[in-house]
C-alpha cells in the first residue's frame, strides 16, 4: 500500500498550476461537504433509522473513509474527523432551509465539480481519479497535508 506522501506526490502531478490549486482549495471541500449532505439525505428503512438518528449513508461512508485514512495516517484521519464534524454541523444548518437538503447539496456539488473541471482544463491535465478512483479520497487529505506541513504537524 502506498504511503500518504506517495499518494500526495502522485496526486500533485496533475495539480501544479496555481489557479488549479486555488480552485481545489474551494471546490474539494465543497464536494466533500455536498457529497456528505447528499448521502445524509438518502432515506433508510425505518427499521434501520430507528436505531439512531445518526445512522445514515453518510455516517457509514464517513466511518469507512476514516478507516482508510487511519491506515494511511492516524493524524490525517484525526484532521478529517474534525473536518467531517464541521460538515455535519453545516449539513444540520442546511436542513433548516425551506427546501430539501438534497437540493442545496446537489447545487453545491454540481457547481464545485464544474469548478474542478475548469481547474483541470487550465492545468491541461485530466483529474487524477481518471487514473485511480482512490484519488477521490486523496484530494481532501492532500489539502490537509499542506495545512499540516505549514503548521509543522507530522503525518
Amino acid at each position: 500500500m502506498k504511503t500518504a506522501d506517495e499518494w500526495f506526490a502522485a496526486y500533485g502531478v496533475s495539480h501544479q498550476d496555481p489557479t488549479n490549486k486555488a480552485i481545489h482549495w474551494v471546490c474539494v471541500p465543497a464536494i466533500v461537504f455536498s457529497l456528505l449532505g447528499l448521502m445524509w439525505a438518502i432515506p433508510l428503512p425505518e427499521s434501520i433509522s430507528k436505531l439512531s438518528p445518526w445512522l445514515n449513508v453518510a455516517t457509514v461512508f464517513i466511518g469507512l473513509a476514516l478507516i482508510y485514512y487511519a491506515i494511511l495516517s492516524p493524524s490525517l484521519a484525526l484532521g478529517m474527523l474534525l473536518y467531517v464534524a464541521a460538515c455535519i454541523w453545516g449539513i444540520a444548518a442546511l436542513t433548516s432551509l425551506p427546501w430539501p437538503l438534497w437540493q442545496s447539496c446537489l447545487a453545491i456539488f454540481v457547481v464545485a465539480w464544474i469548478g474542478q473541471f475548469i481547474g483541470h482544463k487550465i492545468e491541461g491535465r485530466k483529474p487524477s481519479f481518471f487514473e485511480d478512483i482512490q484519488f477521490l479520497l486523496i484530494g481532501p487529505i492532500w489539502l490537509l497535508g499542506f495545512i499540516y506541513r505549514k503548521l509543522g504537524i507530522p503525518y
Side-chain angles (χ1 to χ4, degrees):
M1 182 172 184
K2 292 181 186 177
T3 67
D5 282 326
E6 289 170 330
W7 278 113
F8 294 167
Y11 189 83
V13 168
S14 61
H15 301 87
Q16 298 295 311
D17 182 84
T19 302
N20 187 29
K21 285 182 178 180
I23 289 170
H24 275 63
W25 278 99
V26 174
C27 293
V28 168
I31 289 169
V32 171
F33 173 79
S34 61
L35 181 62
L36 293 177
L38 287 167
M39 288 190 281
W40 198 280
I42 296 171
L44 292 177
E46 186 179 337
S47 59
I48 294 174
S49 61
K50 282 191 324 188
L51 297 173
S52 170
W54 296 99
L55 182 59
N56 57 51
V57 177
T59 56
V60 170
F61 175 79
I62 289 166
L64 294 172
L66 288 173
I67 290 168
Y68 176 79
Y69 291 143
I71 291 167
L72 283 177
S73 162
S75 67
L76 287 170
L78 179 59
M80 285 305 295
L81 176 62
L82 296 174
Y83 175 69
V84 297
C87 286
I88 291 169
W89 177 83
I91 289 165
L94 285 182
T95 62
S96 67
L97 295 175
W99 50 83
L101 172 65
W102 70 267
Q103 288 178 352
S104 301
C105 291
L106 183 60
I108 295 166
F109 188 81
V110 169
V111 170
W113 271 109
I114 289 169
Q116 288 287 89
F117 282 107
I118 290 170
H120 280 285
K121 179 72 174 167
I122 292 166
E123 179 85 39
R125 292 184 174 264
K126 293 179 185 174
S128 299
F129 72 87
F130 286 154
E131 293 174 30
D132 188 333
I133 196 79
Q134 290 182 78
F135 280 118
L136 290 172
L137 288 171
I138 298 302
I141 63 168
W142 180 71
L143 296 173
L144 189 57
F146 275 107
I147 295 169
Y148 277 30
R149 286 187 298 279
K150 186 85 167 167
L151 297 174
I153 300 171
Y155 58 85

